[in-house]
């Protein structure tokens, strides 16, 4: 029996899902590239540099701890209301917090509210990634040709991890364009602003 392959619509959806995954994972991972600078701006000045960094990486880790929650809840609602709607929700949960981080004041201006907002942002990002990736894997598993399911899932995984590479490129580009002092003071926020733009592109796609 000859298996029906992808039609043009399915290919387009799968390609855009992969691109959306790349941009979304950029938003999720860019935090770690600037964790050292974030630790300076979002925690009390009287903390040692070591504790600031530990706190920053702890909040970064909160995103990973939140991912199973996203997988559980969004998988359920994806089955119930459709994966497209859940993709949109996951992208918005990633885009809005990432874009907000480009503008959120630091500890100097809003005190302990700054690290609390930072934690909420990371939890929202973790839920977003936890909901988006399983939905994308299931979607491809359901629509890929029988003998090519592993290939297409592998391509999706590769496109998602490309978000890490994209984050590294943006990190290098920012340090190339701006001085180290400018990056430390304000230019680090550009990376999160770019992430917000990527998210808007994902929503449009």
């Amino acid at each position: 029996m000859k298996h029906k392959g992808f039609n043009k619509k399915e290919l387009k959806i799968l390609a855009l899902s992969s691109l959306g995954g790349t941009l979304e994972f950029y938003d999720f991972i860019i935090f770690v590239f600037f964790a050292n600078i974030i630790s300076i701006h979002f925690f009390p000045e009287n903390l040692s540099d070591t504790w600031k960094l530990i706190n920053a990486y702890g909040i970064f880790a909160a995103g990973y701890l939140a991912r199973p929650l996203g997988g559980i809840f969004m998988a359920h609602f994806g089955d119930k209301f459709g994966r497209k709607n859940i993709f949109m929700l996951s992208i918005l949960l990633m885009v809005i917090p990432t874009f907000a981080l480009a503008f959120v004041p630091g500890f100097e201006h809003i005190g302990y509210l700054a690290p609390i907002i930072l934690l909420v942002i990371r939890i929202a990002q973790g839920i977003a990634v936890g909901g988006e990736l399983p939905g994308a894997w299931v979607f491809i598993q359901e629509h890929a040709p029988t003998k090519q399911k592993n290939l297409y899932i592998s391509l999706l995984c590769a496109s998602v991890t490309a978000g890490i590479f994209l984050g590294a490129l943006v990190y290098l580009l920012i340090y190339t364009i701006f001085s180290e002092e400018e990056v430390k003071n304000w230019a680090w926020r550009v990376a999160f602003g770019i992430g917000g733009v990527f998210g808007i592109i994902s929503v449009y796609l």
Side-chain angles (χ1 to χ4, degrees), residues 112-125:
Y112 285 97
L113 190 58
I116 292 174
I117 292 175
L118 192 63
L119 179 60
V120 171
I121 285 174
R122 285 303 297 171
I123 290 174
Q125 289 179 328

Side-chain angles (χ1 to χ4, degrees), residues 106-177:
F107 189 91
E108 182 182 355
H109 299 285
I110 58 175
Y112 285 97
L113 190 58
I116 292 174
I117 292 175
L118 192 63
L119 179 60
V120 171
I121 285 174
R122 285 303 297 171
I123 290 174
Q125 289 179 328
I127 291 174
V129 170
E132 194 272 342
L133 288 180
W137 286 326
V138 171
F139 179 82
I140 288 183
Q141 174 67 22
E142 291 173 342
H143 291 83
T146 303
K147 294 183 179 180
Q148 294 181 303
K149 292 183 183 296
N150 293 339
L151 172 63
Y152 281 99
I153 291 175
S154 298
L155 290 174
L156 174 64
C157 292
S159 69
V160 168
T161 54
I164 301 175
F165 179 65
L166 183 60
L169 287 179
V170 170
Y171 174 81
L172 290 174
L173 185 62
I174 287 176
Y175 269 96
T176 300
I177 296 175

Side-chain angles (χ1 to χ4, degrees), residues 38-56:
I38 290 173
S39 70
I40 295 171
H41 289 281
F42 283 83
F43 297 101
E45 191 175 332
N46 59 356
L47 277 180
S48 68
D49 291 341
T50 300
W51 275 109
K52 287 179 183 178
L53 202 55
I54 289 174
N55 288 337

